[in-house]
Amino acid sequence: MTTDLGPFPATRKWLRAHPLATDAVLALGALVAMVLGSFVEPRGPDGPTFGTRTPEPLSLVLMLLAAAALVFRRSRTRAVLAATLGLSVVELVSGEPRAPVAMAAVIALYTLASRTDRPTTWRVGLLTMAGLTGVAMLAAGPLPWYSQENIGMFAWTGMAAAGGDAVRSRRAFVDAIRERAERAERTREEEARRRVAEERLRIARDLHDVVAHHIALVNVQAGVAAHVMDKRPDQAKEALAHVRDASRSALNELRATVGLLRQSGDPEAPTEPAPGLARLDELVDTFRHAGLPVKVMVELDGNGGALPAAVDLAAYRVIQEALTNVRKHAGRGASAEVSVVRVGASAEVTVLDDGGDSPDPAAAASAPGGGHGLLGMRERAGALGGSCFAGPRYGGGYRVHVILPVN
């Protein structure tokens, strides 16, 4: 964060980097002002006049000591205030004419007020105001106790305390604004990193679902074609047609995903809708062509109509991944059942398989959890505030049950 240093940025920067030198310059200025002020006669016949009186040697020594104490006003704030107050009291009780030694005490009080808390400022400020003003009134000499010099002492010390407190409050306010700005910047960066991570995870899930589904079907159909190529060429030709369709679908979905990633600005609206339960029959047909009998039951119309887009997509991807796992890991002759039912404020997606005639049903049932498919289903459900259960069924087979909140 840059700071405006005024018309002399180099000088101001140097002074801020060397506070002792800054205080020495201030002390010299205060000494010059006190010495010049000691030559002023405030009660002349024609008003204040300069050069009509001369300060006493004791006054010059007191002004020099008070100015020297101001050099350490930041490092020894309380001690400097006490020293300047003591020198001011000595000057007030030493007789006439008075020299403005109290100017150093005013500067020291301002420094204390700008560097401490408000209760301390007002406790010390009131004691200083009362002490200096009281001594000035008691040691007024030929002047009345209510003379303007004594009232001025009260006013100057009060303004020093109030000014220092105002500077401290403004500094605290600026620091708070800067801290909030830095925290907001950190929060924005963390939010950006979180969104990038979520987007990468979403893309990884989508790519996994697309590739796993279509490549599994291609593998199955290619195997069928190779097996019947010689004896049943018509069936082999049909299997190769399914391979061609599955590979084309995979390429189209991959092209759409990569096209979104390559866009430099905000992605444009997709030219076709995202997959959902409206395309469930099309999805199931690809598995049926691959030799997996699938029964489907969808009951949504009587419970509030269509699902929200995010829930619809998640349900479609869950069914796609679950059926892909069945086709990859279940035994020969396996069949599957898919049900999507809306129950109150949730949609429940269930995919069951009977395990087929796998020689090792336990191994086949546990296989779907070995990759990223099950993890992806759980992440999809968790992102929507739902839950996912997957595990072996009693008597063989596997069960995937996902609950997705609709509202």
Side-chain angles (χ1 to χ4, degrees), residues 344-395:
S346 300
E348 298 188 8
V349 180
T350 306
V351 180
L352 307 174
D353 72 87
D354 56 13
D357 56 357
S358 172
D360 188 357
S366 61
H372 297 285
L374 181 57
L375 178 61
M377 287 189 285
R378 287 173 175 164
E379 289 174 348
R380 287 185 183 278
L384 298 174
S387 60
C388 174
F389 169 81
R393 298 173 61 194
Y394 179 77

Side-chain angles (χ1 to χ4, degrees), residues 258-276:
V258 174
L260 289 175
L261 295 178
R262 290 174 63 89
Q263 292 182 15
S264 58
D266 292 335
E268 298 178 356
T271 57
E272 63 180 60

Side-chain angles (χ1 to χ4, degrees), residues 148-342:
Q148 62 180 2
E149 288 86 349
N150 297 336
I151 302 301
M153 187 78 65
F154 181 85
W156 277 106
T157 51
M159 286 190 294
D165 182 70
V167 169
R168 178 199 57 77
S169 298
R170 182 181 181 280
R171 186 184 301 126
F173 177 72
V174 171
D175 291 342
I177 292 178
R178 183 181 295 111
E179 194 275 335
R180 284 198 297 269
E182 293 174 352
R183 185 169 63 248
E185 183 66 24
R186 291 194 301 269
T187 302
R188 283 195 295 270
E189 293 175 356
E190 293 172 358
E191 178 67 13
R193 286 194 295 268
R194 184 186 65 81
R195 291 189 177 184
V196 168
E198 290 180 351
E199 186 64 14
R200 289 176 60 186
L201 185 60
R202 185 192 66 80
I203 293 171
R205 285 197 302 260
D206 287 343
L207 289 176
H208 173 273
D209 292 343
V210 171
V211 173
H213 166 62
H214 291 292
I215 296 303
L217 296 182
V218 167
N219 179 64
V220 171
Q221 296 292 350
V224 172
H227 180 68
V228 301
M229 180 67 72
D230 296 330
K231 297 181 179 180
R232 294 189 294 274
D234 292 339
Q235 188 175 352
K237 184 182 297 185
E238 181 181 355
L240 291 176
H242 292 316
V243 169
R244 181 187 58 198
D245 294 340
S247 59
R248 182 187 298 116
S249 298
L251 288 174
N252 290 337
E253 293 197 39
L254 288 174
R255 186 181 297 112
T257 303
V258 174
L260 289 175
L261 295 178
R262 290 174 63 89
Q263 292 182 15
S264 58
D266 292 335
E268 298 178 356
T271 57
E272 63 180 60
L277 295 180
R279 297 174 56 184
L280 182 58
D281 291 338
E282 179 183 341
L283 173 67
V284 171
D285 285 340
T286 61
F287 287 100
R288 289 170 177 161
H289 292 318
L292 176 65
V294 181
K295 295 180 180 180
V296 179
M297 181 189 69
V298 178
E299 293 184 2
L300 298 175
D301 296 338
N303 296 276
L307 299 176
V311 177
D312 195 40
L313 174 61
Y316 178 89
R317 291 301 190 191
V318 166
I319 296 171
Q320 182 184 52
E321 177 60 29
L323 291 178
T324 301
N325 285 336
V326 173
R327 192 66 191 86
K328 289 166 58 178
H329 302 294
R332 292 181 179 275
S335 62
E337 297 180 6
V338 176
S339 68
V340 182
V341 181
R342 184 164 179 176

Side-chain angles (χ1 to χ4, degrees), residues 81 84-85 88 92 101-113 121-134 136 149-165:
L81 178 61
T84 53
L85 285 175
S88 300
L92 290 174
V101 181
M103 180 184 296
V106 170
I107 296 175
L109 178 60
Y110 165 83
T111 303
L112 177 68
T121 294
W122 289 112
R123 283 197 299 268
V124 176
L126 288 175
L127 288 175
T128 301
M129 293 162 61
L132 281 181
T133 305
E149 288 86 349
N150 297 336
I151 302 301
M153 187 78 65
F154 181 85
W156 277 106
T157 51
M159 286 190 294
D165 182 70

